[in-house]
Amino acid sequence: MSGAADHWDKVYAAGPREGLSWYEPDGGVSARLIAEHAAPGAPVVMVGAGRSRLPGALRTSGFGDVTALDLSDAALEALAAEAAWVRCIRADVTRWVPERRYGVWQDRAVFHFLTTPEAQAAYRRVMVQALAPGGIAVIGTFDEDGPERCSGLPVQRWSGAGLEQWAGADFVPRARLRQVHVTPQGREQPFVFVVLERV
Ligand SMILES: C[S@@+](CC[C@H](N)C(=O)[O-])C[C@H]1O[C@@H](n2cnc3c(N)ncnc32)[C@H](O)[C@@H]1O
């Protein structure tokens, strides 16, 4: 598909997910924020789902309609083998054309790879199309004092206020929190998460 897809396929083929710097053994902050802020059972799209354990956590808390979107075939194949009930879509999130609307848009450590205003605007357009009014976006990126790279790629770091401002008038901020993720290698990575409600 692209150089970016090749990068991620190689990352996922290189070893078990438990060694990936972004690995979490459970649904993490996203699972908690979705349970707190989404309508019960709302359909969820995970953008840049990777090898996340979030689908299992969502199903346990009553969210059984989950779509996983990613650039990487390797990630989606592994996800489908583990959770056949999840709908998988191979796409670049900035070019995706959603065929339905969702109640939850979830992104952890994906948006921060978009480092140009054009790519960020394209992502925002897709997010607006994909979310039903009243639906929520849960977005987690490296915080302002987080690492400058992730998976060897440059990232843009954000503040919670910066994310809320970027989201603009189509969204009302509902929650914001900081989380310090500890990688499997023991390094600390500050994240910021925002919950934004689609007007
Ligand atoms: C750092 S990983 C995070 C994975 C997952 N969200 C988690 O928290 O475990 C980033 C993921 O985003 C995917 N990705 C990167 N850029 C993307 C894009 N433009 N469109 C769709 N997926 C993308 C990668 O393939 C990878 O699975």
Side-chain angles (χ1 to χ4, degrees):
M1 184 190 245
S2 68
D6 288 346
H7 168 84
W8 290 107
D9 278 340
K10 283 186 189 132
V11 165
Y12 287 113
R17 67 176 156 193
E18 288 78 5
L20 299 169
S21 61
W22 55 92
Y23 175 72
E24 290 185 301
D26 53 28
V29 170
S30 297
R32 205 173 87 215
L33 291 174
I34 291 169
E36 280 173 19
H37 293 279
V44 179
V45 59
M46 299 171 58
V47 301
R51 299 293 326 278
S52 169
R53 290 187 178 270
L54 181 59
L58 288 174
R59 198 181 207 193
T60 302
S61 48
F63 296 88
D65 180 347
V66 176
T67 299
L69 177 146
D70 206 287
L71 273 180
S72 164
D73 267 337
L76 292 175
E77 278 166 19
L79 195 152
E82 181 174 271
W85 56 277
V86 173
R87 195 171 295 116
C88 290
I89 298 176
R90 184 185 184 225
D92 178 335
V93 63
T94 63
R95 294 161 187 249
W96 181 42
V97 181
E99 289 178 352
R100 60 182 288 210
R101 287 186 139 185
Y102 298 86
V104 180
W105 171 282
Q106 184 272 343
D107 171 336
R108 171 176 175 269
V110 185
F111 177 62
H112 65 195
F113 291 110
L114 304 180
T115 56
T116 65
E118 294 75 22
Q120 292 162 0
Y123 176 104
R124 188 183 171 286
R125 276 195 297 276
V126 178
M127 181 168 79
V128 168
Q129 277 170 30
L131 269 175
I136 58 162
V138 174
I139 302 179
T141 70
F142 282 164
D143 206 339
E144 286 182 302
D145 58 345
E148 292 179 4
R149 301 179 83 81
C150 180
S151 187
L153 303 173
V155 299
Q156 176 164 339
R157 299 173 295 177
W158 290 83
S159 65
L163 285 168
E164 290 165 5
Q165 195 177 2
W166 161 79
D170 291 311
F171 294 91
V172 176
R174 289 291 177 223
R176 187 198 291 180
L177 68 81
R178 175 178 166 92
Q179 179 224 9
V180 178
H181 168 65
V182 180
T183 72
Q185 298 75 29
R187 286 193 304 276
E188 293 193 345
Q189 298 186 330
F191 274 75
V192 62
F193 282 81
V194 290
V195 178
L196 307 164
E197 183 179 331
R198 171 88 163 87
V199 174

Short mmCIF file of all heavy atoms in Angstrom, two decimals, residues 18-23 180-189:
data_model
loop_
_atom_site.label_atom_id
_atom_site.label_comp_id
_atom_site.label_asym_id
_atom_site.label_seq_id
_atom_site.Cartn_x
_atom_site.Cartn_y
_atom_site.Cartn_z
N GLU A 18 3.89 -8.10 23.09
CA GLU A 18 4.28 -7.77 24.46
C GLU A 18 5.59 -6.97 24.52
O GLU A 18 5.92 -6.40 25.56
CB GLU A 18 4.41 -9.04 25.32
CG GLU A 18 3.08 -9.70 25.68
CD GLU A 18 2.46 -10.51 24.53
OE1 GLU A 18 3.10 -10.66 23.46
OE2 GLU A 18 1.32 -11.00 24.71
N GLY A 19 6.35 -6.96 23.41
CA GLY A 19 7.60 -6.20 23.39
C GLY A 19 7.47 -4.81 22.78
O GLY A 19 8.42 -4.03 22.80
N LEU A 20 6.29 -4.49 22.22
CA LEU A 20 6.11 -3.19 21.57
C LEU A 20 6.04 -2.09 22.63
O LEU A 20 5.38 -2.26 23.67
CB LEU A 20 4.81 -3.19 20.75
CG LEU A 20 4.76 -4.23 19.62
CD1 LEU A 20 3.34 -4.34 19.05
CD2 LEU A 20 5.75 -3.85 18.52
N SER A 21 6.66 -0.95 22.35
CA SER A 21 6.75 0.10 23.39
C SER A 21 5.36 0.57 23.82
O SER A 21 5.17 0.99 24.96
CB SER A 21 7.60 1.27 22.91
OG SER A 21 7.02 1.85 21.77
N TRP A 22 4.38 0.51 22.94
CA TRP A 22 3.04 1.00 23.25
C TRP A 22 2.12 -0.09 23.82
O TRP A 22 0.95 0.15 24.08
CB TRP A 22 2.40 1.63 22.02
CG TRP A 22 2.34 0.74 20.81
CD1 TRP A 22 1.33 -0.10 20.45
CD2 TRP A 22 3.36 0.59 19.81
NE1 TRP A 22 1.64 -0.75 19.29
CE2 TRP A 22 2.89 -0.35 18.87
CE3 TRP A 22 4.62 1.16 19.62
CZ2 TRP A 22 3.64 -0.73 17.77
CZ3 TRP A 22 5.36 0.78 18.51
CH2 TRP A 22 4.87 -0.15 17.61
N TYR A 23 2.68 -1.27 24.04
CA TYR A 23 1.84 -2.40 24.50
C TYR A 23 1.21 -2.11 25.87
O TYR A 23 1.86 -1.64 26.79
CB TYR A 23 2.68 -3.67 24.59
CG TYR A 23 1.90 -4.83 25.17
CD1 TYR A 23 0.90 -5.44 24.42
CD2 TYR A 23 2.14 -5.28 26.47
CE1 TYR A 23 0.15 -6.48 24.96
CE2 TYR A 23 1.40 -6.33 27.01
CZ TYR A 23 0.41 -6.92 26.24
OH TYR A 23 -0.34 -7.94 26.78
N VAL A 180 0.78 8.45 32.42
CA VAL A 180 2.18 8.12 32.13
C VAL A 180 2.24 6.62 31.87
O VAL A 180 2.08 5.80 32.78
CB VAL A 180 3.12 8.54 33.27
CG1 VAL A 180 4.55 8.14 32.94
CG2 VAL A 180 3.03 10.05 33.48
N HIS A 181 2.41 6.29 30.60
CA HIS A 181 2.51 4.89 30.18
C HIS A 181 3.93 4.41 30.46
O HIS A 181 4.91 5.12 30.18
CB HIS A 181 2.20 4.80 28.69
CG HIS A 181 2.54 3.49 28.05
ND1 HIS A 181 1.89 2.31 28.39
CD2 HIS A 181 3.47 3.15 27.12
CE1 HIS A 181 2.40 1.33 27.67
NE2 HIS A 181 3.36 1.80 26.90
N VAL A 182 4.05 3.21 31.01
CA VAL A 182 5.37 2.62 31.22
C VAL A 182 5.54 1.51 30.18
O VAL A 182 4.73 0.57 30.12
CB VAL A 182 5.53 2.06 32.65
CG1 VAL A 182 6.92 1.45 32.83
CG2 VAL A 182 5.29 3.16 33.67
N THR A 183 6.55 1.65 29.34
CA THR A 183 6.75 0.68 28.25
C THR A 183 7.23 -0.65 28.84
O THR A 183 7.72 -0.70 29.97
CB THR A 183 7.82 1.18 27.25
OG1 THR A 183 9.11 1.10 27.88
CG2 THR A 183 7.55 2.60 26.79
N PRO A 184 7.11 -1.74 28.07
CA PRO A 184 7.62 -3.03 28.56
C PRO A 184 9.12 -2.97 28.89
O PRO A 184 9.61 -3.78 29.65
CB PRO A 184 7.35 -3.99 27.39
CG PRO A 184 6.24 -3.35 26.63
CD PRO A 184 6.44 -1.87 26.77
N GLN A 185 9.82 -1.97 28.32
CA GLN A 185 11.25 -1.81 28.60
C GLN A 185 11.49 -0.92 29.83
O GLN A 185 12.63 -0.63 30.18
CB GLN A 185 11.95 -1.21 27.37
CG GLN A 185 11.91 -2.06 26.10
CD GLN A 185 10.53 -2.06 25.41
OE1 GLN A 185 9.77 -1.10 25.49
NE2 GLN A 185 10.21 -3.15 24.72
N GLY A 186 10.40 -0.43 30.45
CA GLY A 186 10.51 0.33 31.70
C GLY A 186 10.65 1.84 31.51
O GLY A 186 10.88 2.56 32.48
N ARG A 187 10.47 2.34 30.28
CA ARG A 187 10.57 3.79 30.06
C ARG A 187 9.20 4.45 30.26
O ARG A 187 8.18 3.86 29.91
CB ARG A 187 11.08 4.08 28.65
CG ARG A 187 12.55 3.80 28.46
CD ARG A 187 13.06 4.40 27.15
NE ARG A 187 12.32 3.92 25.99
CZ ARG A 187 12.57 2.77 25.35
NH1 ARG A 187 13.54 1.98 25.76
NH2 ARG A 187 11.85 2.42 24.30
N GLU A 188 9.22 5.69 30.77
CA GLU A 188 7.97 6.41 30.98
C GLU A 188 7.63 7.27 29.77
O GLU A 188 8.51 7.95 29.23
CB GLU A 188 8.09 7.31 32.22
CG GLU A 188 8.21 6.50 33.50
CD GLU A 188 8.02 7.35 34.75
OE1 GLU A 188 8.08 8.58 34.66
OE2 GLU A 188 7.79 6.74 35.81
N GLN A 189 6.37 7.21 29.35
CA GLN A 189 5.91 8.00 28.20
C GLN A 189 4.62 8.73 28.58
O GLN A 189 3.55 8.11 28.67
CB GLN A 189 5.61 7.08 27.00
CG GLN A 189 6.82 6.32 26.48
CD GLN A 189 6.49 5.54 25.22
OE1 GLN A 189 5.35 5.09 25.03
NE2 GLN A 189 7.48 5.35 24.37
#
